[in-house]
Amino acid sequence: MNVYSPDLHAAARNLGGEVVKGGILCPGPGHSAKDRSLSVKFDHKAPDGFVVHSFAGDDPIACKDYVRAKLGFPQWEPTDAPSDIMERIAERARGIHATRPATHPLDFNDAGPQGGQRRTYKGKPIVAEYIYRQADGTPYLRVNRLEPKGDFPQEHWTGSGWAWGKPKGPKVPYRLPEMLAAVHDTVFVCEGEKDADALAERGFVATTCSEGAGKWSPDLNEWFRGKTVFILADNDEAGADHARKAAESLAGIAATVRIVNLPGLPEKGDVSDWLAAGGDTAGLVELCGSFPIFTRSEAAARDYGDAAPEGCVAGAREDENAPTIRTAAELRRKEFAPIRYVVPGLIAEGCTLLAGRPKLGKSWLMLDVGLAVAAGRICLGETQCEQGDVLYLALEDNERRLQGRIDRVLGAFAPEWPAAFHYATEWPRANDGGIAAIRNWIAKAKNPRLVVVDVLAMFKPVRGDKETLYEADYNAIKGLQALAGEFNIAIVVVHHTRKSGAEHDPFEKVSGTLGLSGAADTTLVLDRDGNGATLYGRGRDVEEIEVAVKFDRDLCRWRILGKAEEVRRTDERAVILDTLKEADEPLSPSDLSAATGMPNLNVRQLLFKMAKAGEVVKTGRGRYAHPDNSQNTDNNDNKITNLDAYRAAKDGGDDA
C-alpha cells in the first residue's frame, strides 16, 4: 500500500503549533496555547505512524491520545499496519477523507476497526465519510455516504470521539481551515463534498454545505466575506435552485458571486463529471469569470414580490447597499482564526505604520525584520519570526546600496541569502497600479507573510485637488490596509516624523495628519532623546509598547533592551553614580540635576531610593556622595553656614 506524507502545516494548525525541522512543536495535553513542550514527528516505521516526545515529562500514551483527538483520529488499535495509519493521518491532517472501496481496511465504526469490516449504518454499508472542521482544525461534523446512495447520516465530534446526530451549533463550510489558510480569495462552492474534494485535489479552494441541495444556511455567509465566489450548479432543477439560494444569501457579503453552468454536463451531472470528461482545469477560473455577476437586486425582486414572507412589509425591496445587522448571540457562536504575528508582540497581520526621524535607522530595522522573516530566524535580539515570503520595496535605494546593506546585516560569512526575500527598488504609486502589483505578488508567492514599503512618500498617490490633507493621508494607507486584511498578511509602511512634536505623546510626532495613523492598524514610532532610543507602539491587535532599543553599528541591527522605564531607571542610576564619583564634595539634588540634565524631581526620587538601597551615601545635610568618596566627607561638622542654610532651603531641607 502507498504511504502518504502528511501535510505538516495543516496538522500543525490542528495541533495549535508550528512546523520545526520536519516535525511539529505544539502545546502538550493540559498546557496553555503558548506552550511548545510537545514534539510530534510522523514516521511510517513507528507502530502508531508517529512518535511524540514531551519536554515537560508528560505521559507519552496520554500525549499520543491527545494528538489523535486533535487530528480527529480514533484511538489506536493494533489491527492497522503502520502504512495504513500514515495514510489515515495524512488524510485527517488535510481534512480529506476520499471515497474508498467497501472493503478498504481503514473503514471503522465508533469502536474502531472490527477485523477489517467496514462501518455500517442501520445495516447499510458506509462507503465514504467527510470531515467538517472548525476554524482551528478541530473536528466538528462527519457526513457519511451510504451504499446504495440516498442517505447521508451525520455525526458530531464530542471532544474525544464521534456520536450520531448533527452538531447543535451553527453550520460551517466544508474544508474551512483550507479556506482560511488560502492565499487567494477565489472559492468554488459545490453541491457535495465529493465535488469539493475533486477540485481541492487539483489545487483549487473548494467547499460545500452539509445536507445537500437547498440547505444553504446564513450561518455560512460570514466565512465568504470579501471572497470571489463561483457557485458550480449541478445540471438539474434542484442544482439550479440550490445555486440560486446560495447566491442570494452571499450577494452583498462576498466581493462577487457568479453562478456557473459548466458546459457539456449530462442530465444531473456535476463538476466531478466535468472533470472526469477532461474538463480544462487550467482555464476553469477564466471560464467561471465569463459568467455574469449575481446581484442582490435580482434576489430582492424574487423574494419580496406581491406576497411578502412573514415578518416583511409587503412590497418592500431589499437595498443591496443596506448594512448587515446581526445579534450578539450570533457573534458569540462565530469562530475566528487567531491573529498571526510576523514579529510576536510587535508586528501583527494588518497594516503597520513605522515612523521615525530621517537617518535614525528605520530602514535598517525593517531590513533586518524582512530578512529574519524570510529565513525564519530571530530579530531585535531574541524575537523569533515565523518564516514566510517577504516583499521589500526599497524605494529610496538602488541595488548596489541594498546589496551592501544586506551584506552588513547578514555578515560576509553568512550562508546563502534567503530566496524567500523578494525586493524591488522601483514601484508604481498606489493609484498607478502599485496596489494591484502587490496583490499579484501575493497571489504568486508560496507563503506570503510580509510586505515592506520603504518609504510612504515614494508610494502614496499624488494628492487630488479636491482632497483635504486628512483625506489624502487616509487614502494613502487605506488601500494597503484593505489588502493586508484581505490576505491576512502584514504590510509595514515606513514614514517620517516631524522635526518637532509633542514631547508627551510620541505618536503626535508622525508627519502629516491623523489620517495616517487612523487608517493603519498599528502605529510604531522610533524616537531618540537624551535617554537613548525608544520604540513606541499602539494598535488594534498589539498591546501598548514602550521599549528601549539600541542600534549595534557593527552588526547594523537593532536590539530590544527591555521595558523603557526599567532600562532608563538603570541608566539614570549609573549617570548619578558616575557624577557623584567624579565630584570633589557631596552634591545636592539640584547640583545633580544641573550636572546631568535630569529633571530635579526625578533626581530627588531616585536619590531617595538609591540611599535606601545603599547605592549612595547621604551626608546628613541634604547632600549625597558616592560610597567610595563618603570617607572624605566631614560628618562631624554640624555647623551650618549661611551658604549651607541657603542650599538646604533651596533643596528643601533634608528631604530628598
Side-chain angles (χ1 to χ4, degrees), residues 558-592:
W558 286 93
R559 178 165 55 92
I560 294 178
L561 303 177
K563 292 184 177 180
E565 181 181 2
E566 298 174 358
V567 173
R568 301 295 179 244
R569 186 182 301 120
T570 302
D571 291 344
E572 290 171 351
R573 287 176 186 242
V575 170
I576 288 176
L577 287 172
D578 289 343
T579 304
L580 289 175
K581 191 169 186 178
E582 294 176 359
D584 295 330
E585 60 179 355
L587 301 178
S588 70
S590 295
D591 295 332
L592 283 166

Side-chain angles (χ1 to χ4, degrees), residues 325-472:
I325 300 174
R326 295 182 175 84
T327 68
E330 291 176 307
L331 180 61
R332 182 183 182 183
R333 294 194 299 267
K334 284 188 177 296
E335 296 280 349
F336 298 101
I339 295 172
R340 298 173 66 189
Y341 289 86
V342 174
V343 180
L346 193 65
I347 300 176
E349 60 186 31
C351 184
T352 297
L353 181 70
L354 170 64
R357 296 200 308 270
K359 311 302 180 184
L360 186 57
K362 306 181 297 296
S363 296
W364 286 110
L365 172 60
M366 288 315 305
L367 180 61
D368 185 29
V369 169
L371 291 168
V373 172
R377 63 167 176 81
I378 61 172
C379 67
L380 292 168
E382 299 178 350
T383 305
Q384 179 65 47
C385 299
E386 179 183 345
Q387 195 279 332
D389 290 293
V390 175
L391 175 61
Y392 189 90
L393 305 182
L395 304 182
E396 289 188 321
D397 288 327
N398 54 41
E399 287 192 319
R400 180 188 297 276
R401 187 182 300 118
L402 184 60
Q403 183 191 59
R405 289 191 167 212
I406 296 177
D407 193 50
R408 294 185 67 182
V409 171
L410 296 182
F413 300 101
E416 288 295 320
W417 290 4
F421 184 90
H422 308 257
Y423 74 90
T425 57
E426 295 182 355
W427 203 263
R429 289 186 178 271
N431 60 334
D432 290 333
I435 297 291
I438 294 176
R439 178 189 292 274
N440 289 338
W441 176 82
I442 295 172
K444 294 178 181 178
K446 181 179 180 181
N447 181 28
R449 294 295 299 125
L450 173 66
V451 175
V452 179
V453 179
D454 187 6
V455 292
L456 176 62
M458 303 291 289
F459 182 81
K460 68 178 183 179
V462 177
R463 180 186 167 197
D465 294 336
K466 297 182 180 180
E467 280 186 319
T468 65
L469 290 174
Y470 182 93
E471 289 172 338

Side-chain angles (χ1 to χ4, degrees), residues 180-182 227 337 340 349-350 448-449 483-490:
L180 298 178
K227 300 289 187 182
R340 298 173 66 189
E349 60 186 31
R449 294 295 299 125
L483 197 63
E486 179 182 348
F487 291 102
N488 297 321
I489 68 168

